[in-house]
Amino acid sequence: MSENDLIQNVQQTQKEFELALDVAKDAEAIEALRIQYLGRKGCVADLFKSLSTIPSENRKAAGQALNQLKTNLQTALDKKFDNVKNINTSVNEFDVTMPGNWPDFGRLHPLTKVTREIKQIFSNMGFGVADGPEVESEYYNFEALNIPQGHPARDMQDTLFIDEGFVLRTHTSPVQIRTMESKQPPLRIISPGRCYRRDTPDASHSPMFHQVEGLCVDQGITFADLKGVIQNFAQQLFGSDVKIRFRPSFFPFVEPGAEYDFTCLICRGQGCRVCKGTGWVEISGAGMVNPKVFEHVGYDPEKYTGFAFGMGIERIAMLLYGINDIRLFFENDIRFLQQF
Ligand code: FA5
């Protein structure tokens, strides 16, 4: 090899080394480079071996270049090693006064929280919890509740139909029938769950919403029991300030039928868009179970009486938390959900 060739090799080695050092990010990678270039069997040692093949009178410039290369590599490796060491040390220094980063915990949806509270209050009054399907047969959603085919009462609830004979349940009242078919009186149940109607969304209506059905059947149950249970429920949930207003109403599966309202706790009775300026929010339909319904499930209407109700859970949650638009429950805006 000529002296010029060797000098060229030295320059080439310097370039390759610089590229390799640039990508070495930790002490291990730097040490590997040190061995590869400056080790006993490394690139620089090979170049020194080549130097010895050049006649001694022609070695001077190549020898100097080679020594300079060795020094350059050594210096660059030491410098890079110090840099990496400093970075690691600063990462390890832990400032205990820094505020912590809290992970964002999940939380319960306000409707889940309210439903749990409702269950707890009724459980304290001796009510069990029953469940029923959301895709329901027309028989349970209507017929067994004394709403035969073609009856105008079917238009009271705008129904979403599935296949022939099946609907998305428009209310939780079918669970009354399913429960009475499988159990004998006395019974006391509530049944919370989703309902569906072709209702146009507004501040207090949603096409999917939740109801909690209530049913109590025994000998000697009266309308006064219904009022007492609802009053007790409302006061436990909202406190003793809340007022309840019963109004006569019609549902084919109860007789007599009623609706009841709670005072609007959003405007404290002053009038707002949720109570449509009336100071009252409609919460529920209710009444005494119609003897015709008892006949459908084989209960003796001469022996037993019962009351039933179906409350809107969103409406209750709106009053409890001061929410003025039902659509907020379903938009899943994290800024809303984080408040509960
Ligand atoms: C019924 O659904 C009857 N099944 C209630 C009932 C049960 C009566 C047992 C007698 C005996 P109604 O259609 O009024 O009734 O609905 C009851 C409650 O559900 C309403 O007072 C309201 O609070 C709530 N609700 C009804 N439709 C909607 C809707 N689109 N969005 C939100 N809440 C609703």
Side-chain angles (χ1 to χ4, degrees):
M1 181 187 289
S2 74
E3 188 180 29
N4 279 347
D5 288 344
L6 186 57
I7 290 172
Q8 264 188 8
N9 278 355
V10 167
Q11 288 164 348
Q12 183 62 29
T13 305
Q14 170 90 36
K15 276 190 200 142
E16 284 170 10
F17 167 80
E18 280 166 8
L19 290 175
L21 187 66
D22 208 32
V23 290
K25 294 286 178 242
D26 54 27
E28 245 173 61
I30 295 166
E31 187 54 24
L33 276 184
R34 190 187 300 281
I35 293 167
Q36 186 187 345
Y37 282 87
L38 297 176
R40 266 197 312 128
K41 295 180 181 166
C43 306
V44 174
D46 285 347
L47 290 172
F48 271 109
K49 272 186 209 149
S50 308
L51 184 67
S52 62
T53 64
I54 299 173
S56 53
E57 60 277 17
N58 296 338
R59 277 183 208 164
K60 196 170 171 210
Q64 278 173 354
L66 207 40
N67 281 328
Q68 188 60 50
L69 173 71
K70 195 175 168 187
T71 313
N72 290 350
L73 266 51
Q74 190 70 59
T75 314
L77 283 164
D78 289 349
K79 197 169 158 202
K80 181 89 185 217
F81 185 77
D82 283 347
N83 281 349
V84 169
K85 207 170 68 184
N86 284 342
I87 291 168
N88 286 345
T89 318
S90 61
V91 166
N92 287 336
E93 273 168 16
F94 180 67
D95 180 356
V96 288
T97 63
M98 289 273 284
N101 286 332
W102 282 94
D104 210 1
F105 290 117
R107 60 198 80 212
L108 293 177
H109 192 280
L111 292 176
T112 309
K113 289 180 84 168
V114 169
T115 305
R116 287 189 181 182
E117 278 191 61
I118 293 172
K119 280 186 190 167
Q120 187 58 55
I121 293 171
F122 278 104
S123 153
N124 292 345
M125 289 193 268
F127 284 73
V129 176
D131 209 3
E134 289 172 27
V135 175
E136 187 55 282
S137 70
E138 286 193 52
Y139 174 76
Y140 283 109
N141 198 77
F142 295 122
E143 261 129 62
L145 288 163
N146 197 30
I147 316 175
Q149 191 95 43
H151 192 287
R154 289 209 181 192
D155 294 341
M156 285 166 73
Q157 303 166 352
D158 257 342
T159 310
L160 293 157
F161 290 88
I162 308 270
D163 287 334
E164 185 65 30
F166 286 91
V167 298
L168 285 178
R169 68 176 178 190
T170 53
H171 51 177
T172 42
S173 297
V175 185
Q176 287 186 34
I177 306 297
R178 291 180 174 277
T179 308
M180 289 191 277
E181 277 179 350
S182 63
K183 288 195 176 79
Q184 285 302 308
L187 59 88
R188 254 180 289 181
I189 57 105
I190 58 161
S191 181
R194 291 195 188 95
C195 305
Y196 304 83
R197 289 184 197 176
R198 243 186 100 252
D199 282 348
T200 309
D202 64 22
S204 55
H205 290 86
S206 162
M208 191 284 287
F209 59 99
H210 296 75
Q211 284 187 344
V212 54
E213 194 75 11
L215 174 68
C216 171
V217 183
D218 201 349
Q219 294 183 31
I221 297 290
T222 68
F223 207 98
D225 295 309
L226 167 66
K227 286 181 96 171
V229 164
I230 297 306
Q231 174 139 350
N232 187 305
F233 163 73
Q235 290 187 344
Q236 283 201 53
L237 193 64
F238 296 107
S240 50
D241 278 356
V242 68
K243 290 197 177 63
I244 301 151
R245 176 174 84 169
F246 276 81
R247 295 176 280 110
S249 187
F250 172 74
F251 299 94
F253 37 98
V254 285
E255 182 56 38
E259 279 177 316
Y260 55 86
D261 312 325
F262 291 168
T263 24
C264 181
L265 299 170
I266 294 173
C267 60
R268 302 248 150 221
Q270 299 303 301
C272 65
R273 73 172 174 156
V274 173
C275 62
K276 301 196 176 80
T278 62
W280 296 94
V281 178
E282 180 199 310
I283 296 291
S284 180
M288 300 304 291
V289 181
N290 192 319
K292 290 211 172 121
V293 173
F294 281 157
E295 279 166 21
H296 266 288
V297 295
Y299 282 10
D300 180 355
E302 294 298 324
K303 191 170 170 193
Y304 295 109
T305 52
F307 67 74
F309 57 82
M311 296 195 257
I313 296 183
E314 283 79 4
R315 304 266 175 98
I316 293 173
M318 287 166 82
L319 291 188
L320 196 60
Y321 296 125
I323 295 164
N324 64 8
D325 196 318
I326 197 171
R327 289 166 286 202
L328 286 164
F329 289 119
F330 307 111
E331 283 166 356
N332 279 337
D333 185 329
I334 200 85
R335 291 165 301 179
F336 171 75
L337 296 175
Q338 268 171 344
Q339 296 177 45
F340 301 92

